[in-house]
Amino acid sequence: MTAVAYATAHPNIALAKYWGKVDAATNLPAVPSLSMTLDAMSTTTTVGFGPGLDTDRVVINGRSATETEMRRVSAVLDRVRLEAGLRTRAWVETANDFPTGSGLASSASGFAALALAATRAAGLEWDPARVSDLARQASASAARSIFGGFVTLPAGTPDATFLAAEPMAGTSEWPVAISVVITTYQPKLVGSTEGMIHTRATSPYYAAWVERAPALFERARLAVLARDIDALGAAAEESAFAMHACAMAASPPLVYFSPVTLAVIEKVRGLRRSGTPAYASMDAGPQVKVLSSAADAAQIASVLREVSGVEKVIVARPGSPASVKLVRQGT
Ligand code: DP6
């Protein structure tokens, strides 16, 4: 049987950050996280298992995957083959409609779309939680991109064998926005995986971060349930700065901010002082994600576009869950 499946997933931005693993081999996160899935950006991935291939073939944005990318993709495909009892290799074609590898969560949407397309192409009819667990093993933030709206991912425990994200019911209708402020198109120098392993190994603040993160997560979760954007924004900023403070204290230090990142943060604070609720969040790169009400987002985006060094601002609303279509099934 040859089946080809085509999946679409949106990236997500964590408002309570995941940074640190219980164990790198199982990829279980050390802290709980909470994110919003973004409607304005997406990854589309096609997977086909077929006879005649001697290795997996992976094309990302029109070019062959690097060795490291290949290894991470094949690890997902190997798990799927094992579960489906398949021996055939696969071809994978994936494309993002936004910059890859620059702190814009391309691994989140990428591995979510891959997990969904690969399971479906292999004939596995898994529920979203199971697909989320598979995506999580490749990239923990990807577990959250299986779902739409606001999504939580619990922390793992050392002996856990399953950990999936969970959607927060009814949150895709909340009129909020995240304006993604792109400050550079250059790929980041230290990826999240490497960055968080280095932080755990060398930062004297790592234990403090792991102890603090659950309370920030809980504040963010309650704020989403209460539809309280100011409480959510305050918790999100604290989470982002605590994560970065912890990473900056690593040896050697990990500094993801650029001067433009800081200029955007300053502008966001200025907006807030002048009465427009807006809150900044940063991941493993120099981009800034700005949380606001949907009604204020266009004005905020136009102010941030004027900051010197800003390349582009994309306004996103809560996005839909990842979706998949089986496009061809032969004999
Ligand atoms: C800063 O999910 O990319 O974006 O599990 O090693 O693939 P791996 O890490 P990844 O890390 C994301 C880190 C973050 C915060 C977040 O999305 O929660």
Side-chain angles (χ1 to χ4, degrees), residues 40-60:
M41 299 190 261
S42 57
T43 300
T44 51
T45 301
T46 310
V47 177
F49 289 92
L53 290 175
D54 49 1
T55 61
D56 292 326
R57 300 277 164 82
V58 180
V59 173
I60 301 176

Side-chain angles (χ1 to χ4, degrees), residues 67-289:
E67 220 170 280
T68 316
E69 289 167 337
M70 197 66 215
R71 220 174 311 120
R72 286 181 87 175
V73 171
S74 284
V76 175
L77 297 171
D78 285 343
R79 287 197 178 96
V80 170
R81 275 188 281 260
L82 190 71
E83 294 282 350
L86 275 178
R87 306 250 297 270
T88 42
R89 302 289 110 186
W91 56 268
V92 175
E93 223 174 293
T94 185
N96 297 327
D97 62 6
F98 59 95
T100 303
S102 52
L104 282 179
S106 56
S107 79
S109 50
F111 284 108
L114 175 68
L116 191 52
T119 45
R120 191 56 64 86
L124 299 169
E125 298 269 340
W126 285 4
D127 63 22
R130 208 160 166 202
V131 179
S132 173
D133 173 63
L134 174 67
R136 193 266 310 151
Q137 295 173 59
S139 183
S141 57
R144 302 185 309 240
S145 275
I146 295 297
F147 300 103
F150 287 81
V151 180
T152 58
L153 177 65
T157 51
D159 50 356
T161 52
F162 181 93
L163 188 77
E166 287 159 33
M168 297 180 72
T171 51
S172 54
E173 302 311 317
W174 191 15
V176 291
I178 289 182
S179 299
V180 178
V181 183
I182 300 175
T183 60
T184 177
Y185 288 112
Q186 295 302 311
K188 59 194 170 194
L189 295 176
V190 182
S192 319
T193 308
E194 197 190 327
M196 64 178 84
I197 290 172
H198 175 67
T199 304
R200 178 184 165 181
T202 67
S203 174
Y205 300 159
Y206 182 73
W209 157 251
V210 171
E211 195 188 312
R212 176 87 183 122
L216 293 170
F217 165 82
E218 192 52 17
R219 270 172 57 192
R221 196 183 69 84
L222 293 174
V224 172
L225 292 176
R227 305 286 190 272
D228 183 338
I229 187 136
D230 295 305
L232 177 60
E237 275 201 359
E238 282 183 45
S239 175
F241 280 104
M243 173 204 127
H244 282 277
C246 177
M248 280 184 200
S251 171
L254 272 177
V255 180
Y256 287 110
F257 298 173
S258 73
V260 187
T261 312
L262 294 173
V264 173
I265 293 169
E266 192 42 43
K267 191 57 102 180
V268 168
R269 295 184 157 199
L271 279 163
R272 209 151 70 211
R273 279 194 297 272
S274 60
T276 304
Y279 300 89
S281 180
M282 292 69 58
D283 294 297
Q287 330 292 11
V288 184
K289 319 335 176 332

